[in-house]
Amino acid sequence: MPTSILVVDDETPLESLMRQRFRHKIEDGTYTFRFAFSGKEALAAIEADAAIDVVLLDINMPDMSGLTLLNHLAEQLPTSRAVMVSAYGDMNNIRTAMNRGAFDFVTKPINYKDLELTIEKTARHVAQLREAVRVKAVADLKARFFDNITHEFRTPLTLIIAPTESLLQKHRSDEHSRRSLTTIRRNAHNLLHLINQLLDLARLEADSLPVTESRVNVLTFVRHMVDSFQEVARQKTIQLDLDTDGTAPDMAFDVDKWQKILANLLSNALKFTPPGGRVTLSLQTTPATVRIAVSDTGIGIAAEHLPHIFDRFYQVDSSLIRTYEGSGIGLALTHELTQLLGGQLTVSSRPGMGTTFTIELPARPASAHEPAADLRLSALESVPVLSQPEALPPTGDSELPLLLLVEDNAELLAFLAESLAGSFRVLTAPNGEEGLALAQRELPDIVVSDVMMPLMTGYQLTKALKTNPVTNHIAVVLLTARTTPENRHEGLSQGADDYLSKPFDLDELRLRLRNIIAHQQALRDYYSQQLGNPTVVSPTAPADAFLQTLYSFMEQHLDNSDLRAELLADEVAMSPRSLARKLNTLLGVSPARLIRQYRLLRATEMLRAGRPITETAYLVGFEHPANFTTAFKEIYHLTPSEFVANGRPETLPKS
Ligand code: ADP
């Protein structure tokens, strides 16, 4: 873009002189010139073409002085700048021009080298000015957009919260409704809180967050804040104390912003402090400042993270397996709000010992006639709701399939457990590690797991389950907020049987679980039919590798009457109990029963091949032929001799 220069001077020969001196700049497109020989002509030129960067302005002109024109320029070309051109002795007028906003001046006779440098400097300044204006416009636009969109969110959220409240009133006594409605209410509040924070950040960025002061008793104020968090503290068994210097002055400050600041610090302290710990808010006031420290005995923050924790969206632990949920907005907002109020926020922390955040905020003593703030009104939205749902571990009918839910969001976990309790016996685990331990111990039919979890991700859990012969038959369904095809692929390649992205439809989850159970049942029917049906060619090569191992081991020990469940379990390196659970899932039989059925199935083959009954009994591990006959009859409803006499029955009754 060339620099566009308007020269305003009543000396007409100046035009050819300028064009001559700046010939190269004009030819290579660096400068474009426009000339006006009076104030009037200048105004006309400005009106015709607002794209003027630099105005070279003579002070002494007959129709309108350059000083008068300057006033018009400020209005009509607010992002252009004027350089005054005047006689050396005209210092008074030059001073006046500078005071009216002229950017610089040069003296006549003009030193063209110096003029060129001045034009360049002015053009640079104009460019910066316009960039700043542009940035501000974009920020305004963004803030307006955020404002609009946030209101679009707030309205429906309000329309969720309000009817939920009235339903809660109505259904207080119905435990199930109360629980669901409480979940809705808490989460709608959380969402509202998050949206409010985003809105504040956007407004801070656009400098459009006004400071509104009202009169509040400082002690009443902090006590109110601490009280708002007592319930959360109690639920987490954290002791929350208020420590004051005893003074309780009425002061004027922006209550809403102070509330947001303290709410963030308190909720972080409670969030990052394990049960049994302690959080203390201490207050000290001087006539001009209020100093509040929030200290906790929590996990602390390592020195290398401390410089960054006030950055937007920064989280010390942002890994998939982090223990604490969050957005990284809270502290950034707290910091920026503190700055807006002219205060200071500092932090000191020792990992494993605890953290103290200290704010020092200016406040002035309030006079009695200033409007008093209503603390109750604004508190609700600025207090983030820490998820503290009432978890209940539902169990069901022992005939139902066993389902393990692994999910770190306690509320979602409780909700899923409750919703699925009708069709499953439900076990729950709050993270991958506990989930894996529980899966290995209880061998559920299905594991439904979140992907992002503390200690161990859903992917790692899936892999651990699927690569262990004890657990590889367990179906795994992953639930995740990460929905890219890569994530899906990652989950499925670790062996997950199904994949649902959040937010998911509960009915769809139910349906998919039902399909998995039906599939498992079909397999179970298939295998047990093979085992119980002597017309099946050979049971020794089942598709399942695990069963194959068991079958070939039983084949090797067929005539060993000491072959028992324990030996079988040893062979596959499982505890007898785990083997029993796994066989029950795969075949619906106990290990002892499997051994017996296998012996008898092989016996039918031998009898059909013409072996004598007694010999067959020994060969398949029965020490007493009488026991053999009893067992045979129990399964096939025929004695061995009837079986031989009947020849080859097409089918036999299933066990
Ligand atoms: P969020 O809590 O949503 O992740 P914040 O901006 O409130 O975001 O906090 C940023 C990070 O600072 C947190 O993720 C956490 O790692 C750390 N942090 C904040 N407060 C504390 C605290 N009291 N104790 C330990 N760590 C903290």
Side-chain angles (χ1 to χ4, degrees):
M1 280 280 278
T3 301
S4 155
I5 303 158
L6 172 66
V7 183
V8 189
D9 202 311
D10 58 340
E11 279 181 49
T12 41
L14 197 64
E15 174 167 5
S16 56
L17 211 59
M18 288 267 196
R19 290 199 188 282
Q20 172 64 26
R21 292 289 179 153
F22 292 114
R23 198 180 64 236
H24 294 301
K25 294 270 177 194
I26 295 169
E27 277 167 6
D28 70 12
T30 316
Y31 291 170
T32 61
F33 277 100
R34 187 178 295 271
F35 288 84
F37 301 103
S38 68
K40 267 211 190 91
E41 270 185 54
L43 284 179
I46 289 165
E47 218 139 278
D49 174 14
I52 291 169
D53 304 310
V54 179
V55 182
L56 299 183
L57 188 53
D58 185 17
I59 293 185
N60 298 308
M61 290 181 296
D63 70 326
M64 185 192 290
S65 97
L67 295 176
T68 313
L69 197 57
L70 257 184
N71 290 340
H72 291 288
L73 284 182
E75 253 172 54
Q76 279 168 283
L77 295 176
T79 60
S80 304
R81 285 294 175 261
V83 173
M84 308 313 286
V85 184
S86 187
Y88 181 70
D90 202 13
M91 212 27 97
N92 267 343
N93 277 333
I94 288 173
R95 287 291 323 140
T96 310
M98 296 299 281
N99 286 338
R100 287 189 187 179
F103 183 69
D104 204 348
F105 67 93
V106 292
T107 48
K108 284 182 183 174
I110 293 171
N111 172 339
Y112 282 91
K113 198 66 219 157
D114 178 53
L115 178 62
E116 187 181 327
L117 290 176
T118 308
I119 290 175
E120 255 149 43
K121 182 180 73 178
T122 313
R124 270 199 306 277
H125 175 77
V126 163
Q128 281 167 2
L129 201 67
R130 291 188 183 160
E131 178 60 14
V133 168
R134 198 186 60 80
V135 168
K136 172 88 172 94
V138 171
D140 284 349
L141 191 75
K142 223 160 83 179
R144 228 181 13 255
F145 170 74
F146 259 106
D147 234 47
N148 289 341
I149 204 114
T150 313
H151 282 116
E152 293 302 311
F153 277 114
R154 288 171 59 109
T155 311
L157 274 172
T158 312
L159 290 175
I160 292 172
I161 292 171
T164 307
E165 291 290 353
S166 65
L167 282 174
L168 255 173
Q169 294 300 330
K170 212 158 115 195
H171 298 286
R172 281 242 157 252
S173 50
D174 171 10
E175 180 58 20
H176 180 77
S177 307
R178 193 186 60 79
R179 211 183 278 282
S180 305
L181 290 167
T182 315
T183 304
I184 296 175
R185 181 179 59 180
R186 192 173 22 244
N187 284 284
H189 274 298
N190 277 340
L191 207 50
L192 190 59
H193 174 68
L194 195 61
I195 283 164
N196 285 336
Q197 286 199 318
L198 281 174
L199 179 64
D200 281 349
L201 274 187
R203 283 187 177 153
L204 277 164
E205 193 162 308
D207 280 334
S208 67
L209 201 60
V211 176
T212 322
E213 295 186 341
S214 50
R215 173 168 55 90
V216 193
N217 181 283
V218 177
L219 187 56
T220 313
F221 168 74
V222 288
R223 183 165 291 142
H224 177 81
M225 288 307 296
V226 170
D227 285 348
S228 318
F229 282 89
Q230 281 299 357
E231 178 57 21
V232 179
R234 195 189 55 75
Q235 283 179 18
K236 248 194 113 175
T237 55
I238 291 173
Q239 186 176 336
L240 174 58
D241 295 319
L242 173 61
D243 179 13
T244 72
D245 58 4
T247 58
D250 275 1
M251 294 188 117
F253 56 88
D254 189 324
V255 177
D256 177 60
K257 298 195 178 50
W258 283 40
Q259 245 169 6
K260 286 174 176 160
I261 291 170
L262 285 187
N264 270 310
L265 295 180
L266 281 169
S267 71
N268 273 348
L270 290 169
K271 179 159 130 189
F272 295 103
T273 300
R278 200 182 165 123
V279 172
T280 310
L281 185 151
S282 41
L283 169 73
Q284 287 172 334
T285 53
T286 72
T289 55
V290 174
R291 193 185 148 98
I292 299 172
V294 177
S295 7
D296 63 57
T297 59
I299 61 169
I301 304 166
E304 76 257 33
H305 293 297
L306 277 181
H308 305 291
I309 56 166
F310 298 130
D311 297 350
R312 289 183 179 194
F313 312 121
Y314 186 83
Q315 294 182 303
V316 170
D317 182 2
S318 56
S319 62
L320 283 189
I321 55 172
R322 66 205 165 115
T323 311
Y324 302 93
E325 296 195 333
S327 55
I329 293 177
L331 279 183
L333 184 62
T334 307
H335 185 233
E336 289 178 39
L337 286 174
T338 311
Q339 281 185 327
L340 177 74
L341 299 175
Q344 276 204 341
L345 173 63
T346 51
V347 56
S348 69
S349 184
R350 284 178 61 196
M353 302 293 289
T355 307
T356 300
F357 285 94
T358 309
I359 38 164
E360 249 188 73
L361 292 165
R364 57 182 174 80
S367 55
H369 55 262
E370 270 180 277
D374 184 350
L375 293 180
R376 281 161 311 156
L377 274 184
S378 40
L380 187 68
E381 285 187 14
S382 64
V383 177
V385 198
L386 300 183
S387 272
Q388 293 291 339
E390 323 148 47
L392 92 170
T395 46
D397 187 334
S398 68
E399 287 295 299
L400 295 174
L402 189 60
L403 176 83
L404 168 62
L405 289 171
V406 190
E407 164 68 60
D408 62 329
N409 181 310
E411 193 151 49
L412 185 57
L413 186 65
F415 170 72
L416 282 173
E418 198 171 317
S419 310
L420 297 172
S423 338
F424 296 91
R425 281 176 298 141
V426 182
L427 298 167
T428 59
N431 60 55
E433 218 167 77
E434 285 183 42
L436 180 60
L438 205 57
Q440 283 167 343
R441 202 166 68 230
E442 301 296 334
L443 296 178
D445 299 288
I446 304 184
V447 172
V448 174
S449 171
D450 188 15
V451 170
M452 289 209 264
M453 285 181 302
L455 303 175
M456 181 187 270
T457 66
Y459 298 144
Q460 291 168 318
L461 173 65
T462 308
K463 190 170 175 194
L465 289 174
K466 292 294 183 181
T467 51
N468 181 345
V470 181
T471 52
N472 63 3
H473 66 285
I474 300 173
V476 179
V477 178
L478 291 176
L479 296 179
T480 179
R482 297 157 71 88
T483 51
T484 65
E486 292 79 43
N487 295 141
R488 252 184 104 80
H489 184 247
E490 162 103 49
L492 294 173
S493 70
Q494 303 292 0
D497 296 78
D498 211 337
Y499 207 101
L500 248 79
S501 49
K502 291 180 186 173
F504 54 85
D505 180 48
L506 191 61
D507 282 336
E508 184 180 351
L509 176 64
R510 280 209 184 95
L511 216 63
R512 295 210 191 186
L513 293 178
R514 208 166 66 207
N515 287 345
I516 289 175
I517 293 293
H519 177 71
Q520 287 179 341
Q521 184 62 45
L523 266 183
R524 191 151 50 221
D525 289 350
Y526 170 72
Y527 285 134
S528 60
Q529 194 198 4
Q530 271 198 334
L531 202 60
N533 188 345
T535 61
V536 171
V537 190
S538 167
T540 48
D544 186 279
F546 174 78
L547 288 181
Q548 222 166 49
T549 313
L550 290 185
Y551 283 21
S552 68
F553 185 73
M554 289 189 290
E555 185 64 30
Q556 281 164 34
H557 295 80
L558 194 59
D559 58 354
N560 176 0
S561 62
D562 283 335
L563 174 63
R564 290 198 214 297
E566 289 75 19
L567 278 181
L568 211 54
D570 274 354
E571 174 64 16
V572 286
M574 290 169 80
S575 72
R577 188 167 165 275
S578 298
L579 177 63
R581 296 298 313 261
K582 179 153 179 156
L583 274 181
N584 191 41
T585 307
L586 286 177
L587 300 173
V589 297
S590 68
R593 176 110 189 150
L594 175 70
I595 295 172
R596 172 161 291 211
Q597 285 193 357
Y598 186 80
R599 291 188 197 283
L600 294 168
L601 182 62
R602 295 288 285 115
T604 60
E605 287 173 357
M606 292 179 191
L607 292 175
R608 245 186 274 142
R611 277 202 200 273
I613 293 173
T614 315
E615 187 190 336
T616 301
Y618 290 129
L619 280 175
V620 297
F622 283 87
E623 282 181 7
H624 304 287
N627 291 349
F628 174 61
T629 304
T630 317
F632 195 96
K633 187 158 183 205
E634 191 194 315
I635 287 195
Y636 297 117
H637 309 292
L638 293 170
T639 61
S641 26
E642 285 166 346
F643 178 82
V644 174
N646 277 8
R648 298 167 155 243
E650 273 308 302
T651 49
L652 281 170
K654 258 177 64 183
S655 61

